[in-house]
Amino acid sequence: MQFFFQAERGGWDKHSYGYHGDDGHSFCSSGTGQPYGPTFTTGDVIGCCVNLINNTCFYTKNGHSLGIAFTDLPSNLYPTVGLQTPGEIVDANFGQQPFVFDIEDYMREWRAKIQSTIKRFPVGDRLGEWQTMLQNMVSSYLVHHGYCSTATAFARVTDTTIQEEQISIKNRQRIQKLVLAGRVGEAIEATQQLYPGLLEHNPNLLFTLKCRQFVEMVNGTDSEVRCFSARSPKSQDSYPASPSLSPRHGSTNSHIHSAGVDSPSCSNGVTSTKSKQSHSKYPALTSSSSSSSSSSPSSVNYSESNSTDSTKSQQHSSTSNQETSDSEMEMEAEHYPNGVLENSTRIMNGTYKQEEILQTDESSMEDSCPQRQLCGGNHAATERMIQFGRELQTLSEQLCREYGKNTMHKKMLQVGLCLQPELAHSRSRSELRAWRGVGAALVSAVVLGIMGHLQPAHKAVLFCVSPPPHLVPQPAARAALRLAAPGAACLAEGHTLVACEYLPVFCAAVCLTACVSSPSPGCLQLVGLLGPLELPRGAAAGSSSEGACVRCSQQCYIGVSEPAKAAPADAGPGPGL
Amino acid sequence: MACVLETPLRMSVLSEVTASSRHYVDRLFDPDPQKVLQGVMLLYLLQQETSSTELRTECAVVLGSLAMGTENNVKSLLDCHIIPILLQGLLSPELKFIEACLRCLRTIFTSPVTPEELLYTDAAVIPHLMALLSRSRYTQEYICQIFSHCCKLRHWHSCGFKSSPQPLLCANGPDHQTILFNHGAVQNIAHLLSSTSYKVRMQALKCFSVLAFENPQVSMTLVNVLVDGELLPQIFVKMLQRDKPIEMQLTSAKCLTYMCRAGAIRTDDNYIVLKTLPALVRMCSKERLLEERVEGAETLAYLIETDVELQRIASITDHLISMLSDYFKYPSSVSAITDIKRLDHDLKHAHELRQAAFKLYASLGANDEDIRKKIIETENMMDRIVNGLSESSIKVRLSAVRCLHSLSRSVQQLRTSFQDHAVWKPLMKVLQNAPDEVLVVASSTLCNLLLEFSPSKEPILESGAIELLCSLTQSENLALRVNGIWALMNMAFQAEQKIKADILRGLSTEQLFQLLSDSDVNVLMKTLGLLRNLLSTRPHIDQIMSTHGKQIMQAVTLILEGEHNIEVKEQTLCILANIADGTTAKELIMTNDDILQKIKYYMSHSNAKLQLAAMFCISNLIWNEEEGSQERQDKLRDIGIVDILHKLSQSSDPNLCDKAKTALQQYLA
């Protein structure tokens, strides 16, 4: 959560929303306001409540709800207060003191609403049907994520059968892990080999994967360029014909081989050749990553003997450190001891501490950036990457001819391309982060794509998490699921499947079962309510006694805004969906 | 018939049949006396001490089923004196039988055709019912339900609005609330609020809402009642929580509202400001059922009716003012096309919704000019009021007039939107042949529209308002008399000669005297006000006094001699002062020694206001520049006025002192 001082008034900018004290109007990303509520002034307590269930927002004045101000709000909002007059003071209350408005009561209403939605959710006429579906859901969840032995055990207990063969599950698992590790080229090849025709039927998916691969090349993670950066003995001229190396050989690749499958070799690019790399260059992922794959490739734990790679892993850790420190900084912003007062959440207009913060931010960026190099700094790899980029462009044009324009492709390509000149620049980090989101979504797309071919069982999952719209009011259902079974809700909303993996294996299904059969308040915790932002009376009184004058009383704007950072790019819909 | 009564077993079969089949129940009360006899027979069996408890219980159950039928069924049962018989049954030691009797009684008393009085005819009944409250959750539920339905007379009459000054008490003796209260209803029912049964809690809550309504005695008691260590208001507030059933939220909001209006809870109490009021506003939202929206709006209207601060808070809460405009959208065009059932439902509630919205608008705009402006700016507001004024439903007409009345308190609106929409036209129509309760509010509104600065004044006069208002002054209804004469008073203010003459002619001197001897001081004051307005500007005074001088002087004498309060006397002296301002009219005073003595008396009265008013008279009479002033001065000196003037010029009251000195100067000149 961030606390900003905006020179401009909240609600005037794009993705910002505000309620102005001088005229009582509400501003929805526009300079022209709508009549909304009363005016407010010194001594008034103004609250703002964002309802993340139905994406609406209402304000309160002295504890009285003024009614819905905005609907269809985007996620990722943070509170802002705009002050116009120097010396003006607001007190912010994020719940450290009781709110004047009875937020608890409001949440109670929503809990009751959701509970009744769940209660009224139609269950099939025949009792057994529901149980079968739940079992199917659990089973397909396990199969989907490749929890092979758990799935077998579950099938044994519930007396059901798994439709997909174990080998197939493990293959999918392997492809998934390749994508997660950023080795998209290998993943593509493995897919082509194991499931011929899948990518041919899904040119969009292939394109998306290649875009991702492109990014990984820039990044230096993809094996096509990694061989260069690792100062591979392989000569450069041999490159176009046999572009890659096999990722794993022999016993070192414990996590994949532990399943006992003698996997076919996978390599980047189109042709499949045995690697010219030595084994030691590729110890693949450590065992830790085999037990649980991570939510984002950026945090995959590399431990490679290669010197470049170790630098790289440092870089990774520094990146993640930086992220941590960044978020800490954001939190600290709530405590600015701005101006005269030292009160923890008292904020004063006039001096801009924010600038300093930005400076620190930039300098910390600069610290980390010199370590990052294009394609690991290897020239040959860079050339290969550029060539790959051209191929990608051609493919895009071809797709465009065949299927018509696709803005999504364009965007993906653009992001990929713009990474090159700006890699050294601090912006790339957030871009990359966004791309990792896409990558994760691709994982789910691949898996679902395969599943779509092989196994209809996963439809049970999809049915459960997204029932036909006429059955349940969509937002309520989504909210219910989000509360009851976060994993399932992720699925429903096309989010990354990766996120599900952090859940206990049965969480999704069990939660849903619990909700359906006996709704307990425990599984219905409202997560989405942002505490109202309040300006208590004490503000004015306290300041005047200290001699600071509260000059302006009518130019306070309370609003919510989207963060300035780039929002994650939308994940493309998986072909299986 | 014989076979029906054969065994208890058969009886229970019958009760199931009756409950499920309205058709069969209705047939039992066929015009054919043979069939009606069945019911009589059941009653007979029920009364027999000798018949087994099972049989008697089944009889009560069947009778209860019969009472579930049409209103005619209930009427027939009442004709068979079912109530005393069932009440007698309550004396039985058998709980099952008691419960069956109570259930049947409940069904009968909740029917609109049953007179509530029947519960109170035997003084022993209420204490016995109170005693039965402890027997089981069913007795609790049914008894509470009976109480809340048999305590409604007051409720109906005032309907939450003070503007109708009808007597609120029931015809017979102490009202039902007091009877129940005196028998310990509050203590007996309070602990039921913590019952495990939702139905019991709900009925107990309803009971309290009925008991507390406009009853300071009950309300004051309720605030201090403890249940399980919690005060009743706290319990009510808990029942207001948003996750409680709507019915419960609504009823507890009613309880708190009634307690507040009865003076037991302050209007600035957080229970009212932060809990009750927002809860009632929520009841008005689109998400609620139509019935709930009606009740919510009516209760809220009652809560905020007399408190500006609450009106202000309500006006900003959850867009209430625009939310209310949805009340006018039934039946919606969608419902007409898609669903006959829904259309029927909508139509049924459309009137209720509209009248509730008007009522709430009326309360919202009662005092605050900004809120009135906001209301009028709501989409089609004035059109809606104008349409409402001519609706067939009296309830809608009445509340539309109330709304208009509330808005007519705004000078700005009188000049603008009232004029633009020619609201006086439908208003004048409402005033023709309307029932008294509508007339009261409509005539109050007319008073405002007749104010001197109102542009509607002219057209209203032209449409025959004088005649109408004059007829109102002859009404039996006090409020109508007041409003009639009040409107005439407003009309006469700075009016032209012709209007004044029309008023006098329309009213007739007899009626004027009638009004001056009215028992109500308000009527008297407004009538004097009318006289005073009529007697302004010299030509008008002379004109009126030349035609009605004798009667007016008589009336003035009468009032000055009568037992009246200071304000009345002051007003009367002011009339005299006005008369004294006339040219020829002066003589009417000068030739009346009686009046002159009275003026002299009031100059030395202990009340400064009356002294001042009498002084006005004197100075008008002795003013130098007018013809014949010398004679008048002499005459007044003869009766000792000058001495009093000298005394008054030493007065500590600066007004009196100045006035006396100016008067004395007239003598010196």
Side-chain angles (χ1 to χ4, degrees):
Chain A
M1 207 175 283
Q2 252 179 318
F3 210 88
F4 262 67
F5 293 109
Q6 296 193 163
E8 65 281 319
R9 300 163 163 204
W12 282 17
D13 292 334
K14 214 174 173 203
H15 303 306
S16 85
Y17 304 84
Y19 164 36
H20 292 191
D22 53 355
D23 55 6
H25 286 192
S26 66
F27 291 77
C28 177
S29 309
S30 131
T32 38
Q34 296 288 319
Y36 168 67
T39 58
F40 56 89
T41 178
T42 307
D44 283 326
V45 181
I46 302 299
C48 174
C49 174
V50 177
N51 181 333
L52 297 183
I53 297 174
N54 62 4
N55 298 318
T56 59
C57 159
F58 68 85
Y59 292 91
T60 64
K61 180 181 172 181
N62 300 326
H64 297 284
S65 161
L66 305 180
I68 302 271
F70 310 111
T71 55
D72 303 312
L73 286 174
S75 50
N76 264 343
L77 293 166
Y78 62 89
T80 70
V81 178
L83 305 168
Q84 271 207 329
T85 315
E88 213 167 4
I89 291 172
V90 291
D91 269 10
N93 177 15
F94 289 95
Q96 67 269 40
Q97 288 152 13
F99 294 121
V100 186
F101 175 75
D102 195 345
I103 189 78
E104 280 301 320
D105 201 27
Y106 181 72
M107 294 206 285
R108 264 195 291 269
E109 182 182 8
W110 276 91
R111 262 181 227 126
K113 259 187 205 171
I114 287 161
Q115 211 164 333
S116 74
T117 309
I118 294 171
K119 264 186 195 162
R120 277 184 274 122
F121 185 83
V123 180
D125 291 338
R126 283 156 295 173
L127 268 174
E129 212 169 70
W130 194 243
Q131 187 170 11
T132 316
M133 184 156 60
L134 284 174
Q135 283 172 353
N136 263 340
M137 195 171 75
V138 175
S139 170
S140 56
Y141 174 83
L142 296 170
V143 169
H144 188 114
H145 291 279
Y147 299 114
C148 198
S149 39
T150 318
T152 321
F154 182 78
R156 198 170 53 239
V157 172
T158 57
D159 206 20
T160 51
T161 49
I162 300 172
Q163 289 172 12
E164 191 179 2
E165 281 174 56
Q166 292 217 357
I167 293 178
S168 172
I169 298 175
K170 278 167 186 147
N171 284 339
R172 282 193 292 107
Q173 219 173 5
R174 209 180 66 225
I175 295 167
Q176 184 180 344
K177 274 173 186 149
L178 284 173
V179 179
L180 283 176
R183 289 146 66 181
V184 185
E186 293 161 65
I188 293 173
E189 189 164 341
T191 312
Q192 280 168 339
Q193 210 162 46
L194 294 166
Y195 308 103
L198 178 79
L199 289 177
E200 281 76 2
H201 283 108
N202 282 305
N204 286 335
L205 176 62
L206 181 66
F207 178 76
T208 320
L209 282 167
K210 287 203 165 182
C211 283
R212 173 70 190 162
Q213 185 185 1
F214 184 47
V215 175
E216 296 295 345
M217 283 169 101
V218 177
N219 194 11
T221 315
D222 195 76
S223 41
E224 268 196 62
V225 291
R226 212 143 64 136
C227 53
F228 298 118
S229 59
R231 288 176 194 85
S232 133
K234 189 165 69 76
S235 64
Q236 205 185 318
D237 53 47
S238 70
Y239 184 72
S242 60
S244 73
L245 62 155
S246 162
R248 71 215 94 76
H249 296 282
S251 57
T252 41
N253 299 320
S254 58
H255 77 288
I256 291 166
H257 288 259
S258 60
V261 183
D262 194 43
S263 78
S265 69
C266 291
S267 59
N268 233 350
V270 194
T271 50
S272 159
T273 16
K274 279 279 172 187
S275 162
K276 286 153 196 147
Q277 283 289 89
S278 73
H279 292 173
S280 61
K281 297 268 186 221
Y282 258 94
L285 304 174
T286 57
S287 55
S288 66
S289 66
S290 69
S291 60
S292 75
S293 42
S294 62
S295 63
S296 139
S298 68
S299 55
V300 167
N301 205 355
Y302 291 92
S303 75
E304 294 173 271
S305 55
N306 181 303
S307 62
T308 324
D309 281 334
S310 66
T311 325
K312 185 151 170 43
S313 90
Q314 268 174 19
Q315 189 186 322
H316 263 290
S317 60
S318 81
T319 309
S320 62
N321 279 345
Q322 193 190 327
E323 277 170 34
T324 326
S325 65
D326 196 30
S327 62
E328 269 169 13
M329 208 148 53
E330 288 170 2
M331 293 306 293
E332 275 167 9
E334 281 178 33
H335 304 272
Y336 295 3
N338 227 355
V340 208
L341 298 155
E342 289 294 315
N343 190 321
S344 65
T345 54
R346 180 163 291 178
I347 293 131
M348 189 175 179
N349 206 10
T351 49
Y352 283 81
K353 193 85 176 183
Q354 191 195 351
E355 285 169 26
E356 290 169 40
I357 300 292
L358 284 178
Q359 278 163 10
T360 347
D361 200 31
E362 268 169 34
S363 62
S364 72
M365 290 287 199
E366 279 156 21
D367 285 343
S368 65
C369 281
Q371 291 181 11
R372 190 188 294 279
Q373 283 183 308
L374 203 57
C375 297
N378 186 294
H379 181 68
T382 312
E383 276 191 13
R384 167 62 196 140
M385 180 199 74
I386 290 163
Q387 192 190 348
F388 189 87
R390 287 197 190 111
E391 286 169 23
L392 209 53
Q393 179 70 38
T394 323
L395 183 60
S396 163
E397 280 160 10
Q398 185 191 332
L399 281 172
C400 191
R401 275 195 301 278
E402 282 175 37
Y403 299 99
K405 272 211 168 129
N406 189 329
T407 45
M408 182 78 76
H409 287 172
K410 221 168 194 170
K411 200 169 155 197
M412 283 190 288
L413 203 59
Q414 268 168 6
V415 175
L417 291 171
C418 76
L419 282 176
Q420 293 181 50
E422 293 188 1
L423 192 67
H425 192 265
S426 57
R427 251 188 71 191
S428 64
R429 189 171 50 82
S430 61
E431 299 272 2
L432 266 179
R433 210 188 311 169
W435 266 93
R436 289 199 173 105
V438 178
L442 286 181
V443 174
S444 83
V446 172
V447 179
L448 282 177
I450 295 164
M451 297 271 292
H453 273 262
L454 297 178
Q455 195 194 28
H458 79 284
K459 281 173 188 155
V461 181
L462 297 177
F463 171 76
C464 283
V465 295
S466 53
H470 63 272
L471 289 181
V472 179
Q474 272 298 323
R478 264 214 317 278
L481 288 160
R482 198 182 289 155
L483 299 171
C490 285
L491 258 175
E493 295 181 353
H495 277 227
T496 66
L497 287 172
V498 192
C500 300
E501 289 175 299
Y502 281 123
L503 291 167
V505 176
F506 289 110
C507 170
V510 170
C511 261
L512 198 60
T513 318
C515 288
V516 171
S517 55
S518 64
S520 72
C523 71
L524 291 168
Q525 278 167 2
L526 276 185
V527 287
L529 290 165
L530 186 72
L533 169 65
E534 309 224 6
L535 313 173
R537 274 183 171 273
S543 64
S544 47
S545 67
E546 282 171 63
C549 62
V550 184
R551 252 160 295 176
C552 169
S553 52
Q554 295 220 319
Q555 282 166 317
C556 187
Y557 310 103
I558 308 291
V560 283
S561 302
E562 272 198 320
K565 285 174 188 164
D570 285 346
L577 295 162
Chain B
M1 191 173 79
C3 87
V4 170
L5 302 176
E6 210 170 352
T7 62
L9 189 72
R10 288 277 178 86
M11 292 290 290
S12 69
V13 171
L14 176 62
S15 76
E16 272 165 36
V17 171
T18 50
S20 60
S21 154
R22 163 73 69 88
H23 186 63
Y24 181 78
V25 173
D26 292 345
R27 261 212 341 246
L28 278 176
F29 290 94
D30 211 85
D32 182 356
Q34 271 291 314
K35 289 180 182 167
V36 180
L37 256 180
Q38 289 181 342
V40 178
M41 201 61 212
L42 287 167
L43 277 171
Y44 174 76
L45 275 172
L46 192 139
Q47 266 181 297
Q48 292 306 305
E49 303 279 341
T50 47
S51 38
S52 76
T53 315
E54 286 81 12
L55 179 65
R56 293 170 77 197
T57 308
E58 292 300 336
C59 285
V61 170
V62 176
L63 285 166
S65 297
L66 293 174
M68 295 263 191
T70 62
E71 288 181 0
N72 280 334
N73 290 11
V74 180
K75 275 183 197 154
S76 313
L77 288 170
L78 288 172
D79 290 344
C80 303
H81 302 290
I82 187 171
I83 290 179
I85 296 168
L86 287 171
L87 289 174
Q88 191 65 31
L90 297 181
L91 297 169
S92 154
E94 294 292 332
L95 183 59
K96 280 267 169 259
F97 179 56
I98 292 174
E99 284 175 356
C101 287
L102 278 174
R103 194 184 298 120
C104 185
L105 277 169
R106 184 269 320 258
T107 312
I108 290 168
F109 274 118
T110 49
S111 161
V113 297
T114 313
E116 295 148 25
E117 285 304 322
L118 289 175
L119 187 69
Y120 301 92
T121 38
D122 182 350
V125 169
I126 302 294
H128 186 60
L129 287 176
M130 293 289 175
L132 286 176
L133 270 175
S134 58
R135 292 296 292 275
S136 76
R137 47 180 283 199
Y138 297 106
T139 62
Q140 290 168 353
E141 182 193 335
Y142 303 142
I143 290 171
C144 285
Q145 209 172 344
I146 291 169
F147 284 166
S148 51
H149 274 91
C150 291
C151 197
K152 276 196 162 169
L153 210 58
R154 282 175 69 139
H155 194 263
W156 209 92
H157 264 308
S158 65
C159 208
F161 282 89
K162 282 251 167 88
S163 34
S164 48
Q166 278 108 346
L168 293 173
L169 288 177
C170 326
N172 303 324
D175 59 292
H176 298 155
Q177 285 174 329
T178 312
I179 296 174
L180 292 175
F181 178 74
N182 289 342
H183 283 101
V186 172
Q187 275 68 30
N188 282 319
I189 297 172
H191 72 274
L192 302 183
L193 287 174
S194 60
S195 162
T196 49
S197 157
Y198 171 73
K199 281 184 179 171
V200 173
R201 264 179 294 153
M202 207 48 235
Q203 292 305 334
L205 194 58
K206 280 188 179 163
C207 236
F208 280 129
S209 76
V210 171
L211 283 172
F213 185 74
E214 301 241 308
N215 192 323
Q217 189 189 22
V218 174
S219 297
M220 287 300 200
T221 314
L222 287 181
V223 231
N224 296 315
V225 171
L226 275 169
V227 178
D228 292 346
E230 275 183 304
L231 287 168
L232 266 193
Q234 277 175 293
I235 293 175
F236 290 150
V237 166
K238 272 192 182 166
M239 288 176 159
L240 270 183
Q241 283 176 357
R242 296 190 189 206
D243 53 351
K244 296 283 185 295
I246 299 299
E247 187 192 25
M248 182 173 268
Q249 291 184 42
L250 189 53
T251 317
S252 52
K254 271 188 185 173
C255 288
L256 288 162
T257 298
Y258 297 162
M259 285 160 75
C260 176
R261 281 301 302 269
I265 305 178
R266 290 165 54 95
T267 50
D268 58 358
D269 192 304
N270 273 350
Y271 283 169
I272 298 298
V273 178
L274 290 176
K275 304 285 179 187
T276 312
L277 187 147
L280 286 171
V281 174
R282 287 200 301 275
M283 295 302 143
C284 301
S285 96
K286 242 182 184 164
E287 290 169 41
R288 303 274 72 87
L289 300 176
L290 299 185
E291 296 91 326
E292 293 161 355
R293 290 165 76 182
V294 170
E295 268 195 81
E298 282 183 328
T299 314
L300 185 57
Y302 181 56
L303 176 67
I304 66 173
E305 195 186 6
T306 55
D307 190 283
V308 198
E309 201 42 49
L310 290 181
Q311 288 160 10
R312 290 200 184 113
I313 293 170
S315 76
I316 62 160
T317 302
D318 284 337
H319 303 300
L320 178 64
I321 290 176
S322 58
M323 195 149 79
L324 279 180
S325 81
D326 290 337
Y327 277 47
F328 295 91
K329 294 177 180 161
Y330 293 90
S332 65
S333 47
V334 187
S335 66
I337 301 162
T338 53
D339 192 345
I340 290 292
K341 233 180 172 177
R342 191 164 149 217
L343 175 67
D344 187 47
H345 178 77
D346 282 4
L347 274 173
K348 231 184 247 166
H349 290 88
H351 294 301
E352 286 293 308
L353 280 165
R354 279 200 290 273
Q355 63 88 19
F358 279 136
K359 253 185 209 168
L360 186 44
Y361 276 134
S363 283
L364 280 167
N367 299 92
D368 188 298
E369 182 67 29
D370 288 340
I371 301 177
R372 278 183 210 129
K373 195 158 169 278
K374 255 167 102 180
I375 293 174
I376 288 184
E377 281 167 1
T378 316
E379 48 166 325
N380 305 327
M381 192 60 213
M382 287 314 279
D383 291 335
R384 276 171 183 161
I385 295 178
V386 168
N387 291 338
L389 289 175
S390 47
E391 263 199 51
S392 57
S393 156
I394 284 210
K395 254 180 142 179
V396 180
R397 257 188 292 160
L398 177 59
S399 44
V401 177
R402 265 191 191 132
C403 185
L404 192 66
H405 178 233
S406 204
L407 299 176
S408 73
R409 290 182 187 153
S410 155
V411 177
Q412 196 202 344
Q413 300 310 333
L414 279 179
R415 287 195 172 136
T416 54
S417 27
F418 275 54
Q419 187 58 16
D420 297 343
H421 290 83
V423 287
W424 62 270
K425 275 188 201 162
L427 186 67
M428 288 304 286
K429 236 185 219 162
V430 167
L431 281 161
Q432 322 283 339
N433 307 321
D436 278 7
E437 40 174 355
V438 177
L439 272 182
V440 170
V441 196
S443 53
S444 309
T445 316
L446 201 60
C447 286
N448 289 343
L449 288 174
L450 283 170
L451 284 169
E452 174 257 336
F453 49 78
S454 161
S456 311
K457 188 177 175 178
E458 282 297 312
I460 291 176
L461 283 174
E462 283 160 23
S463 62
I466 294 176
E467 199 182 328
L468 186 115
L469 291 170
C470 289
S471 71
L472 283 186
T473 61
Q474 300 176 13
S475 164
E476 294 280 297
N477 188 316
L478 171 64
L480 285 180
R481 287 203 304 274
V482 173
N483 285 344
I485 194 73
W486 193 331
L488 287 172
M489 181 185 87
N490 282 353
M491 200 187 271
F493 181 73
Q494 294 183 358
E496 52 191 270
Q497 178 83 49
K498 185 186 170 295
I499 295 171
K500 288 182 178 172
D502 283 349
I503 293 175
L504 268 176
R505 199 177 312 121
L507 208 53
S508 82
T509 10
E510 293 76 43
Q511 178 59 18
L512 200 62
F513 272 91
Q514 193 71 40
L515 290 167
L516 285 175
S517 53
D518 201 290
S519 56
D520 186 80
V521 68
N522 255 325
V523 175
L524 181 56
M525 277 301 281
K526 299 302 172 210
T527 315
L528 291 171
L530 170 66
L531 269 178
R532 205 177 148 187
N533 282 346
L534 288 174
L535 293 168
S536 75
T537 72
R538 203 161 282 164
H540 292 183
I541 296 168
D542 288 338
Q543 165 73 31
I544 293 169
M545 289 312 282
S546 68
T547 49
H548 297 82
K550 207 177 152 207
Q551 294 95 325
I552 291 175
M553 290 310 285
Q554 266 178 4
V556 167
T557 316
L558 217 68
I559 291 164
L560 287 179
E561 279 171 358
E563 293 282 314
H564 290 292
N565 64 25
I566 303 292
E567 279 74 31
V568 172
K569 300 244 161 136
E570 187 196 5
Q571 190 78 305
T572 317
L573 286 169
C574 286
I575 291 172
L576 269 182
N578 278 12
I579 295 170
D581 191 37
T583 315
T584 53
K586 281 188 174 73
E587 287 315 306
L588 283 167
I589 299 178
M590 289 312 293
T591 53
N592 191 329
D593 286 340
D594 189 23
I595 287 284
L596 287 175
Q597 284 304 321
K598 289 196 165 64
I599 295 174
K600 185 186 164 192
Y601 165 74
Y602 284 108
M603 282 177 78
S604 346
H605 197 270
S606 58
N607 187 293
K609 277 184 178 174
L610 294 184
Q611 283 178 294
L612 202 62
M615 285 289 292
F616 271 113
C617 268
I618 295 298
S619 41
N620 278 344
L621 288 174
I622 60 175
W623 208 252
N624 257 330
E625 289 134 42
E626 285 160 30
E627 203 189 316
S629 63
Q630 194 55 49
E631 290 80 27
R632 290 194 292 274
Q633 286 182 359
D634 291 345
K635 178 158 191 189
L636 290 173
R637 183 185 291 136
D638 291 346
I639 61 167
I641 297 290
V642 177
D643 297 341
I644 302 174
L645 284 176
H646 277 296
K647 232 184 266 169
L648 286 175
S649 63
Q650 312 294 318
S651 162
S652 57
D653 188 313
N655 276 335
L656 271 177
C657 184
D658 282 358
K659 204 78 194 158
K661 279 176 183 163
T662 330
L664 283 172
Q665 273 168 8
Q666 300 296 320
Y667 274 96
L668 295 175

